[in-house]
Amino acid sequence: MFRYTLMRLGVFAGCLVVVWGLVYFGVFPRGLGESNGMWVVLLALLVSAPISFVVLRKERDRASIQVVQRVDRMKANLDANRSQEDVEDDSAPAQGAQGQAPQTS
């Protein structure tokens, strides 16, 4: 997952540089007033999303498989712990079941 995130950030950084250059040379319009930086970042996000969706498909699938395996392993450990607790509960003697009946005066 960390590798996929780094690759996604790399695609965004590349798009940010390209978009900044295109805005700087006037291919894309500048933002209004002082909003030029925000405009460049938003446009880079808009461009990088579909690129990373297509380019990083295999890496995203690999990360997804790892996450699913980790979740399955955690579920198996949780089930094993639950069954171990059930065995311990069944083997413990019932307290109070053999106690004396309350005395009435």
Side-chain angles (χ1 to χ4, degrees):
M1 197 66 188
F2 183 69
R3 181 178 173 183
Y4 172 74
T5 302
L6 287 179
M7 292 173 80
R8 180 84 192 257
L9 286 172
V11 169
F12 171 72
C15 288
L16 185 65
V17 169
V18 169
V19 168
W20 178 81
L22 292 174
V23 169
Y24 182 77
F25 290 114
V27 176
F28 288 151
R30 294 187 185 271
L32 298 174
E34 298 294 324
S35 68
N36 192 40
M38 183 62 74
W39 166 250
V40 170
V41 170
L42 288 175
L43 196 54
L45 280 171
L46 186 67
V47 171
S48 71
I51 291 173
S52 64
F53 182 75
V54 173
V55 172
L56 301 178
R57 181 177 309 238
K58 289 181 182 178
E59 188 62 35
R60 187 177 55 249
D61 290 343
R62 187 177 306 137
S64 173
I65 289 171
Q66 289 176 351
V67 168
V68 167
Q69 288 173 346
R70 186 176 301 148
V71 168
D72 289 343
R73 194 170 46 242
M74 292 173 101
K75 284 182 181 179
N77 288 341
L78 188 62
D79 288 341
N81 288 341
R82 283 183 185 157
S83 65
Q84 186 178 13
E85 288 175 2
D86 290 343
V87 169
E88 288 176 4
D89 287 344
D90 292 342
S91 65
Q95 295 180 0
Q98 297 176 355
Q100 297 176 351
Q103 296 178 359
T104 57
S105 324

